[in-house]
Amino acid sequence: MKDLNLNQKLSLIQKEFKANKSKFNSFGKYNFRSAEDILEALKPFNEKYQVSFIITEELISFENPILLSKATILDNNGVNEISATAIVGVDLQQKGMQVPQQFGSASSYGKKYALGNLLLIDDTQDPDATNKHDKEPVDDLKWLNKNTPEFNKAIEYLKNGGNIATIESKYKMTKLVKDELLKVK
């Protein structure tokens, strides 16, 4: 492996890399991988290919906080490196979170996507995962109504960083209900 240059090593790692999706989103009913899952799965490649991975972060805007996350692979000879970045805003209006949690959430998100960019991780679902196999036609979606447990759950999901599109994929809703949900953040 010592005869390979860093580009060749990274290419092999990108081809071999697999990271489990150990986290579960109970509202959206899907599994996902975290930055920690990716970092844990990278550790065996450090010795195998004589490389190291590091992540750095920089606050690039103070007014509306924006973090720049940079994932870098370094050849252990200390000469070559390849980096990929991700930029993420910090939502200081996020309800239910204190400022350190808001920054921590943005940091985790940025790290995950910087690593994903470096390692060419495709986070899109395959068509089979989204195919309902005629079990749940779109026309049979339940209505989401205000002041119901489902509505309250949707609000909590949005407060924790969820998006309206996921809710819309699970429920039909009136404009009034959607407008109420869009106020959350």
Side-chain angles (χ1 to χ4, degrees):
M1 298 294 167
K2 291 184 180 190
D3 295 335
L4 298 175
N5 67 39
L6 187 58
N7 287 330
Q8 292 167 321
K9 291 177 182 181
L10 179 57
S11 180
L12 289 170
I13 292 168
Q14 289 168 338
K15 190 164 62 168
E16 295 173 32
F17 181 79
K18 299 278 185 255
N20 290 331
K21 294 180 177 183
S22 70
K23 307 290 185 255
F24 182 72
N25 180 303
S26 58
F27 184 82
K29 306 278 190 262
Y30 61 88
N31 292 314
F32 65 97
R33 69 178 62 85
S34 65
E36 292 79 14
D37 292 328
I38 296 169
L39 291 169
E40 189 64 31
L42 278 177
K43 289 178 182 178
F45 295 109
N46 289 343
E47 187 175 338
K48 181 177 182 179
Y49 290 108
Q50 296 298 297
V51 297
S52 300
F53 292 89
I54 60 168
I55 298 174
T56 58
E57 294 181 295
E58 179 183 351
L59 186 62
I60 60 174
S61 172
F62 292 94
E63 188 176 316
N64 294 313
I66 297 174
L67 292 175
L68 170 71
S69 295
K70 182 165 107 174
T72 303
I73 180 174
L74 302 137
D75 217 333
N76 282 355
N77 64 16
V79 176
N80 299 310
E81 67 180 56
I82 300 171
S83 297
T85 60
I87 296 173
V88 63
V90 180
D91 183 0
L92 295 177
Q93 304 307 312
Q94 184 90 12
K95 293 182 180 158
M97 284 187 174
Q98 294 183 359
V99 172
Q101 293 169 309
Q102 293 162 340
F103 272 85
S105 176
S107 171
S108 293
Y109 191 83
K111 288 175 188 175
K112 174 183 171 178
Y113 282 95
L115 286 163
N117 291 338
L118 180 66
L119 299 167
L120 302 180
I121 297 173
D122 183 2
D123 253 350
T124 59
Q125 291 183 333
D126 63 50
D128 250 359
T130 57
N131 184 351
K132 304 259 189 239
H133 302 286
D134 297 322
K135 292 179 187 168
E136 192 180 329
V138 174
D139 293 342
D140 288 347
L141 292 178
K142 276 180 61 176
W143 281 94
L144 183 62
N145 298 305
K146 287 177 69 174
N147 302 320
T148 63
E150 292 85 3
F151 182 79
N152 294 335
K153 194 172 178 183
I155 288 175
E156 285 304 310
Y157 170 72
L158 292 171
K159 285 180 180 177
N160 289 316
N163 64 48
I164 193 77
T166 302
I167 297 169
E168 288 178 307
S169 72
K170 304 213 172 293
Y171 296 99
K172 291 189 272 188
M173 63 184 87
T174 64
K175 181 178 178 347
L176 183 66
V177 168
K178 183 175 179 179
D179 288 346
E180 195 70 26
L181 290 175
L182 288 172
K183 291 179 188 175
V184 176
K185 283 284 176 177

